[in-house]
């Protein structure tokens, strides 16, 4: 993105994020999910990384969160309670480590305990102060510098020790100890409280954190006592001589604090990924909500050396689980035709990760849905994915428009066959009843053995891709992404990967196979070879599909009939195909997709020049297609039907009606032995 464009986008993002935060924190209205909001913040963060001079102090990436409420006494934190920047992918994590090492000016001191990984609990960060081992003050994070004194409320949380003790000689309890940790609500408690609320006809909470946040700020401590909050401690402010962050957890445990048993020190980024992925898969087994992991440089000296940038330490990061919602941009809308001719609009998205996989398509259901959403091409939208289904566009963020967005209109004619499009209830359909079914037949042909030969992509899978809107035409096959395929049931990670690999591999195709793949009426494998030969004779080598179009678009019906095996009917069919703009569009799409044409092997010599063969029956020494290939390599031609132009009919065992035809026309008939002699 250019800088002026980035600047505009940054301004819009800041406004939009502030709007949603204000609604959430002040008006108590959730207009957008936390995940979608995170996605916007991430986009802002990335743009600011790219253009650091565009970072302003009022950017949402520079602040920590909620203002202190008036009702509670203010507490100045001795050390600011900062929070971590977020990473959402392995690339983000690698970028984080690179930034840190660049800042340090050297690689980290790698050991088997380089990083400390903790579960990131979706609760509230709290500071606990102990004096002479007694809990004297608890406060919220507030804006990071000033929080609220909620000591009385936190004292009702049983997991928080009111008095600390020394149990391990290694860790001496200082007279004043500042501890930080998380207060949260278990899933079980969350359900219990919501059931109670429902029975009372009172407000039902959206998530456990909302209840925890509401509870610790209750002015009546009895209310909080009735809600069984839980807590883990994870940080010590100040120096107990601990060399590693890990030691702080040990020390806290020895003092009687509750620490999370799943946290662990690891050696490398790979280990971090493993820890992250394990908990992303197994988070449901925990009785509390986690939304990612926190990764901290374990060595406290290195951690300190990293310092703070904006609101966050350089040497720590929150590696979030992949959200089930994200924001992205609608790059286009294409129509998918169903078997019965119904046209379904499908959004083409700027690739985005949702629920752990990268997707580039989302269904829009029907035209009414596009209007209901008020969606335009170019819009920033929220996409969400529930379970293993194709993602949906759930919201348009209209405030992020630039004015360049385009309306989508249903076309008046079908893009597949040019028939009129008619409205039928909420649906639009092609007026040709057979259009959808025919297109399917064509795509089955396109990936079949004689054509692109895409292994593993049978009719069932083609149907699936069409039904889900992943492909609209043959060229779309080449832009399928692993994530798109993975979405579909029955597709394990492996087979999605295999199919994408196979498709990429098959982008190189022999010219005659490519011509055959186009599904031109009356053009079988033989005729495709003859067309290919003609093209090759005229043009030499061609490599791009557009060159095929240019040649066949300029050839007359008469010229086509000079090609052996091409009668008037076939010539007209070829001519019509290459004079239809819809086919021109398709061939241009093949070009863009990077289809690369290869020439069939060179002709060895011209021993069989001007000799036309017809094969009938089966040969003992070679397959029929091998025989045709051999004829071709010697400059001869193999055709399907016997005519006066035919030089030889080769009769194998069980010859068919072609033999009778040859006898009738007086064409020379030879057996396998004589045929082999001709080839020598
Ligand atoms: Zn149609």
């Amino acid at each position: 993105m250019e800088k002026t464009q980035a600047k505009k986008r940054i301004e819009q993002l800041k406004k939009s994020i502030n709007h949603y935060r204000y609604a959430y924190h002040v008006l108590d209205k959730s207009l957008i999910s936390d995940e979608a909001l995170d996605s916007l913040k991430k986009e802002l963060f990335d743009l600011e990384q790219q253009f650091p001079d565009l970072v302003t102090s009022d950017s949402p990436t520079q602040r920590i969160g909620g203002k202190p409420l008036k009702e509670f006494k203010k507490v100045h934190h001795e050390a600011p309670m900062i929070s971590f920047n977020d990473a959402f992918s392995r690339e983000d994590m690698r970028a984080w480590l690179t930034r840190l090492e660049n800042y340090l000016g050297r690689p980290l001191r790698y050991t088997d305990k380089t990083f400390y990984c903790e579960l990131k609990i979706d609760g509230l960060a709290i500071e606990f102060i102990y004096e002479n081992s007694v809990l004297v003050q608890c406060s919220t994070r507030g804006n990071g510098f000033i929080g609220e004194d909620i000591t009385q409320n936190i004292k009702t949380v049983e997991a928080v020790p009111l008095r600390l003790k020394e149990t391990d000689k290694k860790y001496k309890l200082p007279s004043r100890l500042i501890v930080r940790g998380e207060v949260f609500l278990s899933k079980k408690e969350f359900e219990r409280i919501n059931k109670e609320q429902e029975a009372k006809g009172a407000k039902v909470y959206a998530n456990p954190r909302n209840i925890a946040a509401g509870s610790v700020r209750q002015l009546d401590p009895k209310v909080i006592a009735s809600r069984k909050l839980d807590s883990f401690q994870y940080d010590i402010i100040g120096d107990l001589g601990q060399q590693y962050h890990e030691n702080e957890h040990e020390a806290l445990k020895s003092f009687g604090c509750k620490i999370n048993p799943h946290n662990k020190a690891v050696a490398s980024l790979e280990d971090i990924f493993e820890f992250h992925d394990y908990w992303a898969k197994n988070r449901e087994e925990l009785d509390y909500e986690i939304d990612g992991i926190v990764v901290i440089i374990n060595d406290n000296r290195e951690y300190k050396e990293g310092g703070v940038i904006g609101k966050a330490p350089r040497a720590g990061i929150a590696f979030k689980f992949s959200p089930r919602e994200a924001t992205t941009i609608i790059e286009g809308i294409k129509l998918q035709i169903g078997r019965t001719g119904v046209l379904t609009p499908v959004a083409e998205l700027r690739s985005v990760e949702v629920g752990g996989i990268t997707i580039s398509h989302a269904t829009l259901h029907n035209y009414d849905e596009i209007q209901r959403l008020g969606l335009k091409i170019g819009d920033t939208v929220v996409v969400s994915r529930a379970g293993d289904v194709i993602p949906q566009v759930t919201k348009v963020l209209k405030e992020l428009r630039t004015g360049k967005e385009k309306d989508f209109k249903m076309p008046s004619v079908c893009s597949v066959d040019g028939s009129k499009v008619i409205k039928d209830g909420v649906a639009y359909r092609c007026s040709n009843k057979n259009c959808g079914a025919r297109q399917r037949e064509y795509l089955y042909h396109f990936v079949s053995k004689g054509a692109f030969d895409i292994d593993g992509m049978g009719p069932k899978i083609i149907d699936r891709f069409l039904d889900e809107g992943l492909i609209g035409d043959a060229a779309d096959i080449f832009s399928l992404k692993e994530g798109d395929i993975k979405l579909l049931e029955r597709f394990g990670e492996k087979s999605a990967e295999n199919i994408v690999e196979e498709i990429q591999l098959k982008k190189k195709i022999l010219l005659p196979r490519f011509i055959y793949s186009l599904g031109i009426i009356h053009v079988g494998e033989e005729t495709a070879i003859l067309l290919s030969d003609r093209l090759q004779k005229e043009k030499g080598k061609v490599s791009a599909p557009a060159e095929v179009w240019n040649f066949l678009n300029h050839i007359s019906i008469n010229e086509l009939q000079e090609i052996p095996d091409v009668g008037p009917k076939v010539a007209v069919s070829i001519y019509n195909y290459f004079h239809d703009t819809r086919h021109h569009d398709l061939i241009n799409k093949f070009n863009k997709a990077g289809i690369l044409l290869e020439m069939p092997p060179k002709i060895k010599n011209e021993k069989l020049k001007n000799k036309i063969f017809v094969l009938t029956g089966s040969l003992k020494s070679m397959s029929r297609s091998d025989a045709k290939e051999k004829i071709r390599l010697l400059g001869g031609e193999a055709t399907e039907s016997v005519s006066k132009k035919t030089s030889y009919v080769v009769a194998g065992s069980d010859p068919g009606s072609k033999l009778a035809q040859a006898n009738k026309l007086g064409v020379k008939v030879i057996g396998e032995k004589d045929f082999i002699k001709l080839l020598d």
Side-chain angles (χ1 to χ4, degrees), residues 116-120 234 245 249 263 275 292-296:
Y116 195 69
C117 297
E118 306 185 20
L119 298 185
K120 186 174 179 303
Y234 50 62
H245 181 71
H249 286 256
N263 297 342
F275 185 83
I293 65 170
V294 170
V295 180
I296 290 169

Side-chain angles (χ1 to χ4, degrees), residues 323 362 523:
V523 177

